[in-house]
Amino acid sequence: MASLHGKSIVLGISGGIAAYKSAELTRLLAKAGAEVRVCMTQGAQAFMTPLTLQALSGNPVHTSLLDPAAEAGMGHIELARWADLILIAPASADLLARLSSGMADDLLSTLCLASAAPLALAPAMNQQMWKHAATQANIRTLQARAALILGPAQGEQACGDVGPGRMLEPAELLAAVEAHFSPSQPLQGVQVLVTAGPTREALDPVRFLSNRSSGKMGYAVAAAAHALGARVTLVSGPVSLAVPAGVEYVAVESAQQMLEAARTHAGMADMFIATAAVADYTPETTADHKIKKSSDTLTLVLTRTTDILATLRAEQPELFCVGFAAETQNLLEYARDKLRRKRIHMIAANLVADGRAFDQDHNALEVVWADGATTLPEMSKQALARALMTLVVAQFGRWKASREART
Ligand code: CTP
């Protein structure tokens, strides 16, 4: 059966040179079985005629909020209720700004406001406009309201610039829409162990050494792995986050406790994702009683903790291991070095200088594996975790296939 059979999709088109690709997108959506109703902004009509899209979708094209004839057909509220998904491609910088501020000054923005349907946006604009703080803030606002942001892609632009801002290709957008309606579960049957959060290394009964990790990234990774069908065990240091639904949870405090819990659960695991900011050093001794201030200086003697990731990797050759690296400089160089030293399969590196990453809701990652690397640009940690897991699933699949080929 056609993959989108029975799905009602409003395809919004805003003004931009990428609007010419929306004709092909309309054709692909209709071919996949979807009922498509196109809604064009005034700007879009400067790039593409409604007649073309009417022919391709087989339905009248909606262009105006205040058109009595159109309202007598399928009115805008009816259209907003009809949609299973509103996909806007291309989504211009102007449209993103209007949507993020909740405006309803034309038909498309009104539809978005009047609809409870999920919203998917395929941004397309000049790379400088995409990078502008205003656009990035709008994207974050829309993501926080659960809009699905598809792209943009990097590359050469119509204006001659090179950078992020190209609309994804129609086939890529079709694949994203198909995935939206039938989320695949490529990790079904796979057991994933995730470590997250900071550890606390006790100095005495009331004091400890710790770090700024909030656990947000690790919890988002656990949720993303679960959404892909994995059985997930989350071994977490102390954080103030809700445990993701459906995830097995093990609370620990110290690096030693995290090691022991991870070891216990790694036996059953196929994959280990080490997001925890484990203390590298712990006090040589923990005082039984509160340390009193008796001198002007206090010297602490610290000893190295066990590297959980490297240990489990060495103990369990069958475990696919993904590490994290937090660096303040030379991000890629240090990440590649860590990948080799710990002999792990993938590493996700982020810059933590100047208040970035730790305890923030957004982050960006450089993801590196033996024969490849990719940049995941700044986005919410939830979106980042999903994007990271897509890469992890791909590399895990390759790794499994090459192991099976060897045996
Ligand atoms: N890690 C671990 N156990 C430790 C320390 C780190 O499992 N005792 C894991 C982290 O969860 C993360 C990765 O190893 O996935 C981080 O590597 P690490 O070399 O410890 O990073 P840094 O502390 O940044 O190392 P360096 O001081 O070498 O920069």
Side-chain angles (χ1 to χ4, degrees):
M1 196 206 289
S3 57
L4 297 178
H5 179 78
K7 302 297 177 208
S8 304
I9 298 176
V10 168
L11 173 61
I13 305 178
S14 62
I17 183 64
Y20 80 91
K21 293 187 188 174
S22 305
E24 174 67 357
L25 178 59
T26 306
R27 196 185 67 78
L28 291 178
L29 291 170
K31 196 170 156 221
E35 181 80 6
V36 184
R37 283 187 170 262
V38 176
C39 174
M40 301 176 82
T41 64
Q42 214 172 357
Q45 293 167 60
F47 292 91
M48 169 71 66
T49 73
L51 194 60
T52 308
L53 297 158
Q54 177 173 315
L56 290 167
S57 68
N59 283 313
V61 171
H62 304 258
T63 53
S64 166
L65 184 58
L66 305 171
D67 176 353
E71 285 294 298
M74 191 186 263
H76 68 276
I77 296 293
E78 211 179 327
L79 190 57
R81 289 194 188 128
W82 170 84
D84 294 320
L85 173 74
I86 300 179
L87 166 65
I88 304 184
S92 65
D94 172 70
L95 183 74
L96 295 175
R98 288 189 290 122
L99 294 181
S100 87
S101 58
M103 288 177 67
D105 56 351
D106 66 359
L107 178 59
L108 185 53
S109 54
T110 304
L111 276 182
C112 291
L113 211 54
S115 179
L119 178 63
L121 301 164
M125 65 198 72
N126 164 268
Q127 53 89 22
Q128 201 57 52
M129 291 169 82
W130 170 252
K131 288 181 192 156
H132 196 286
T135 304
Q136 289 303 309
N138 292 334
I139 286 286
R140 283 198 288 275
T141 303
L142 290 161
Q143 273 177 328
R145 289 189 210 133
L148 189 61
I149 308 295
L150 307 172
Q154 299 259 354
E156 204 169 310
Q157 304 201 294
C159 54
D161 279 10
V162 176
R166 284 172 61 93
M167 188 172 95
L168 293 188
E169 294 303 321
E172 292 175 290
L173 293 173
L174 173 69
V177 170
E178 286 173 332
H180 166 78
F181 282 115
S182 60
S184 67
Q185 301 224 307
L187 293 182
Q188 207 145 39
V190 175
Q191 181 85 40
V192 177
L193 171 66
V194 179
T195 57
T199 61
R200 285 182 180 174
E201 309 303 318
L203 285 167
D204 67 18
V206 295
R207 302 184 181 96
F208 55 79
L209 301 176
S210 192
N211 59 63
R212 292 184 189 278
S213 167
S214 64
K216 284 176 187 164
M217 191 64 207
Y219 278 51
V221 164
H226 177 259
L228 294 174
R231 290 191 308 277
V232 181
T233 303
L234 175 62
V235 175
S236 173
V239 296
S240 49
L241 297 172
V243 178
V247 165
E248 185 192 7
Y249 178 67
V250 183
V252 296
E253 282 231 345
S254 66
Q256 183 60 27
Q257 287 171 358
M258 188 172 274
L259 170 68
E260 286 161 18
R263 233 187 204 141
T264 304
H265 290 86
M268 280 98 65
D270 304 293
M271 186 188 292
F272 175 32
I273 309 181
T275 75
V278 187
D280 290 324
Y281 291 92
T282 190
E284 191 174 46
T285 55
T286 303
D288 289 337
H289 297 285
K290 189 177 164 211
I291 300 168
K292 302 301 280 181
K293 49 179 176 303
S294 51
S295 57
D296 286 345
T297 60
L298 175 67
T299 304
L300 295 175
V301 180
L302 306 176
T303 58
R304 280 287 285 270
T305 56
T306 306
D307 188 321
I308 303 169
L309 179 57
T311 302
L312 294 189
R313 173 73 185 105
E315 288 178 356
Q316 273 189 244
E318 303 294 281
L319 196 60
F320 184 83
C321 290
V322 183
F324 268 69
E327 308 290 354
T328 54
Q329 56 177 349
N330 303 339
L331 191 61
L332 266 176
E333 193 186 317
Y334 285 157
R336 285 188 202 286
D337 181 53
K338 231 162 252 185
L339 185 80
R340 275 192 296 270
R341 262 193 298 123
K342 301 201 186 204
R343 298 182 45 251
I344 54 179
H345 303 96
M346 292 179 87
I347 194 152
N350 58 145
L351 274 178
V352 290
D354 309 326
R356 268 186 292 235
F358 277 149
D359 207 22
Q360 301 293 312
D361 291 327
H362 290 77
N363 199 6
L365 290 174
E366 296 288 339
V367 187
V368 182
W369 54 97
D371 57 358
T374 197
T375 302
L376 298 176
E378 183 168 333
M379 57 184 113
S380 74
K381 285 186 174 172
Q382 281 73 22
L384 198 58
R386 287 195 294 270
L388 173 65
M389 285 311 298
T390 304
L391 298 174
V392 169
V393 165
Q395 294 309 315
F396 180 63
R398 275 181 72 195
W399 175 76
K400 255 183 26 189
S402 77
R403 266 179 46 217
E404 279 157 18
R406 277 201 303 271
T407 53

